[in-house]
Amino acid sequence: MAGQGHEQRRRLVLVAAPFQGHINPLLQLSAVLHSKGFFITIVHTQFNSPDPSNYPEFNFLFIQDGLSDHDIASLDLTAIVLVLNDKCQLPFQECLARLVKEQETRDDRIACVIYDELAYFSEATARNLKLPSIIFRTSNANTFLARSVIIEMHVQGRFPLADPLSQKAVLEHPPLRQRDLPISSFGPIENFFKLIGNARDVRRSSAIVYNTMDCLEGSSIAKLQQHCHVPIFAIGPIHKIVPAPSCSLLEEDTNCMSWLDRQALNSVIYVSPGSLASINEKDILEMAWGLANSKQPFLWVVRPGSVHGSERVESLPEGFTEIVGEKGRVVRWAPQKEVLAHNAVGGFWSHCGWNSLLESISEGVPLICRPSFGDQKVTARYVSQVWRVGLHLEDELERGEIESVIRRLMADREGDEMRQRAMDLKEKAELCIRTGGSSSGSLNKLVGLIKSFEQ
Ligand code: UDP
């Protein structure tokens, strides 16, 4: 019984933001905290709601987000996040108040609320109910710092940029150039500033958790901490701490795994634009022929909606899959973590979403970076210039250039050297989460902080 000599297990309420690149790390963080002895409740919106079946030990609760089909079809991503934060506050207040009441009579009182930085409505609700809260940032420390530069430029009247593709160095944040600044390409710029302003506001939260680690961003994490009045815990790569089942919003095509089994060591280039980025029809044709002409085996994710104005493979050149034959596979959605861990995969053409980057370096896979927007541009710059584990494909997509960049990564000495550096980073990342490592130490401190809330 509670309070009779043994430690009570407390419940954590984790609030998700409704995007694949946010749901994955939040569920991974939940799995980690569950392994540390906490009960878990996941609160999510109806829009892009995760499938709870892979997590029977968690309690999933959805809140009415008030988004209509028309909103989802017509609003840009920034506007969706702003609307959700307006509309979710009241339903979350009711949901959390009910939970608190239920828990009063039980053994698993709520210790705190951990919320995705994009679900910032959560903090006021937690505070109203006298619960501590913690922010979870699913992107990297350098993006956060670069956003501060953008805000400063805006204040000084240097924003919007005269030339968004400018190669000019950002003196406040080397090695970024102005073109690498993490600017959203969605909706009016005022909405972008409103969103990053709200998301970066710590409010009265007690701590901030980042899915990053010292071996990648040590000095930037330290810099963030200097300017922040609450503790920052960099505990990544979270997906490597404990195994967490898939939580894909789209069905994973697992048939590609047996195809990978038939390919030679490090021979396959895996290509994926993540869950949000999209390209135009001309670019997809150049990519298709660049991949085919490279003669390198490839596994390519062409997600529904990832080609403007098309629903998928129909936009590939006629007869493409027949011409490519056994040499290539095109899927709608891949089991990405497993794909990257397969020893046939020797390179990753990526949009440089932060989860994709962590998953790639955790397996020692070097990259071809083709970022689209936001933090992807920062990550791509760090991949090519700082960690030197990939090539940045910056110019207009053209099949000859694509063929040559794939060769450089997959067949040349330059690529071997990047693969070696990626393997070194893999080892360093493993050390970070091992006992005595920086992420492991931060995780212990985080757990200690949460337990200190329990009094
Ligand atoms: N992902 C996947 N299968 C795919 C493509 C992506 O499972 O075919 C997963 C990937 O492993 C990652 C997430 O979707 O965890 C994408 O997050 P990321 O931060 O890389 O990019 P975003 O989608 O947010 O742009």
Side-chain angles (χ1 to χ4, degrees):
M1 243 169 67
Q4 292 198 345
H6 68 84
E7 208 181 340
Q8 277 190 341
R9 278 186 81 182
R10 297 295 184 174
R11 181 167 294 280
L12 303 176
V13 175
L14 290 102
V15 188
F19 305 104
Q20 188 74 71
H22 290 251
I23 292 169
N24 287 4
L26 187 104
L27 284 173
Q28 289 153 6
L29 173 64
S30 305
V32 169
L33 293 170
H34 186 257
S35 77
K36 298 283 182 188
F38 294 101
F39 292 113
I40 301 292
T41 294
I42 306 286
V43 174
H44 59 87
T45 55
Q46 285 168 297
F47 169 53
N48 277 347
S49 60
D51 174 3
S53 62
N54 281 341
Y55 289 88
E57 67 281 22
F58 296 175
N59 182 22
F60 283 76
L61 293 175
F62 77 84
I63 48 175
Q64 301 280 355
D65 52 41
L67 278 179
S68 65
D69 289 348
H70 178 260
D71 289 338
I72 293 165
S74 60
L75 293 176
D76 61 73
L77 287 177
T78 309
I80 285 187
V81 177
L82 292 173
V83 169
L84 280 176
N85 274 282
D86 279 345
K87 296 200 173 176
C88 287
Q89 182 144 8
L90 190 59
F92 182 52
Q93 172 83 31
E94 288 165 4
C95 165
L96 196 59
R98 210 169 40 244
L99 262 183
V100 169
K101 194 145 189 48
E102 280 166 18
Q103 251 71 47
E104 271 170 8
T105 54
R106 293 177 21 189
D107 222 6
D108 58 341
R109 278 194 300 126
I110 299 171
C112 76
V113 172
I114 301 178
Y115 63 95
D116 186 303
E117 68 168 341
L118 294 186
Y120 50 82
F121 61 87
S122 313
E123 189 274 337
T125 301
R127 184 160 27 94
N128 290 342
L129 292 166
K130 304 206 168 13
L131 289 170
S133 63
I134 291 176
I135 303 172
F136 180 39
R137 294 207 173 120
T138 60
S139 189
N140 51 64
N142 282 305
T143 293
F144 192 88
L145 290 171
R147 282 190 194 144
S148 308
V149 175
I150 298 177
I151 291 172
E152 192 51 36
M153 288 169 90
H154 187 47
V155 170
Q156 296 168 356
R158 290 157 62 207
F159 204 86
L161 300 171
D163 172 13
L165 295 180
S166 166
Q167 304 266 2
K168 242 196 234 163
V170 174
L171 299 176
E172 303 90 328
H173 196 124
L176 298 187
R177 302 156 301 175
Q178 292 192 351
R179 64 187 297 159
D180 305 314
L181 286 169
I183 298 161
S184 151
S185 52
F186 303 107
I189 198 72
E190 309 80 60
N191 277 359
F192 168 69
F193 280 112
K194 188 172 172 194
L195 177 59
I196 60 169
N198 282 331
R200 66 190 285 110
D201 185 353
V202 177
R203 298 181 167 81
R204 297 233 217 113
S205 293
S206 302
I208 304 171
V209 176
Y210 272 93
N211 189 10
T212 187
M213 58 270 205
D214 274 7
C215 68
L216 282 186
E217 298 197 289
S219 58
S220 299
I221 297 165
K223 196 166 169 191
L224 277 181
Q225 185 63 84
Q226 271 170 18
H227 294 101
C228 187
H229 63 281
V230 298
I232 289 180
F233 300 110
I235 64 168
I238 299 178
H239 73 285
K240 281 300 204 181
I241 302 176
V242 295
S246 155
C247 40
S248 282
L249 297 168
L250 294 172
E251 192 183 344
E252 292 174 354
D253 183 339
T254 49
N255 292 327
C256 58
M257 298 309 290
S258 51
W259 177 81
L260 281 177
D261 289 341
R262 298 195 292 277
Q263 310 305 316
L265 179 73
N266 286 341
S267 66
V268 174
I269 173 114
Y270 169 60
V271 186
S272 165
S275 63
L276 299 170
S278 56
I279 57 171
N280 62 37
E281 297 230 13
K282 177 182 162 293
D283 285 350
I284 202 163
L285 288 190
E286 294 305 314
M287 278 179 81
W289 291 124
L291 283 165
N293 296 345
S294 76
K295 304 277 185 279
Q296 206 68 40
F298 63 86
L299 173 60
W300 185 8
V301 179
V302 183
R303 196 191 72 237
S306 65
V307 182
H308 302 311
S310 154
E311 267 304 290
R312 73 168 288 240
V313 231
E314 293 72 40
S315 39
L316 292 177
E318 215 178 311
F320 177 73
T321 36
E322 289 76 25
I323 293 166
V324 168
E326 260 302 286
K327 207 72 186 163
R329 276 283 181 279
V330 179
V331 295
R332 288 162 61 95
W333 191 253
Q336 179 165 304
K337 279 190 287 158
E338 289 76 16
V339 165
L340 288 166
H342 198 289
N343 65 14
V345 173
F348 182 10
W349 172 325
S350 174
H351 70 307
C352 285
W354 187 242
N355 295 290
S356 292
L357 181 277
L358 291 176
E359 291 159 13
S360 199
I361 56 138
S362 297
E363 303 302 338
V365 176
L367 301 107
I368 292 172
C369 304
R370 183 70 184 176
S372 286
F373 57 85
D375 64 343
Q376 301 159 17
K377 297 191 283 177
V378 176
T379 303
R381 186 71 175 160
Y382 272 77
V383 166
S384 63
Q385 301 298 308
V386 180
W387 308 318
R388 295 167 59 230
V389 292
L391 299 163
H392 196 161
L393 186 50
E394 298 208 69
D395 300 328
E396 205 174 311
L397 286 182
E398 188 278 318
R399 61 193 71 183
E401 179 62 25
I402 292 172
E403 187 185 333
S404 130
V405 90
I406 292 174
R407 288 247 177 76
R408 280 169 64 196
L409 187 79
M410 303 298 289
D412 288 359
R413 190 149 145 220
E414 192 184 4
D416 285 344
E417 287 167 2
M418 289 181 191
R419 194 161 297 105
Q420 188 50 54
R421 284 193 286 272
M423 287 307 288
D424 294 345
L425 266 188
K426 171 184 156 95
E427 275 174 33
K428 287 185 183 150
E430 283 166 359
L431 287 177
C432 282
I433 55 173
R434 226 177 267 164
T435 309
S438 61
S439 294
S440 163
S442 291
L443 177 59
N444 290 338
K445 285 188 194 148
L446 170 66
V447 170
L449 176 73
I450 296 174
K451 289 192 171 164
S452 76
F453 294 149
E454 294 175 0
Q455 319 317 327

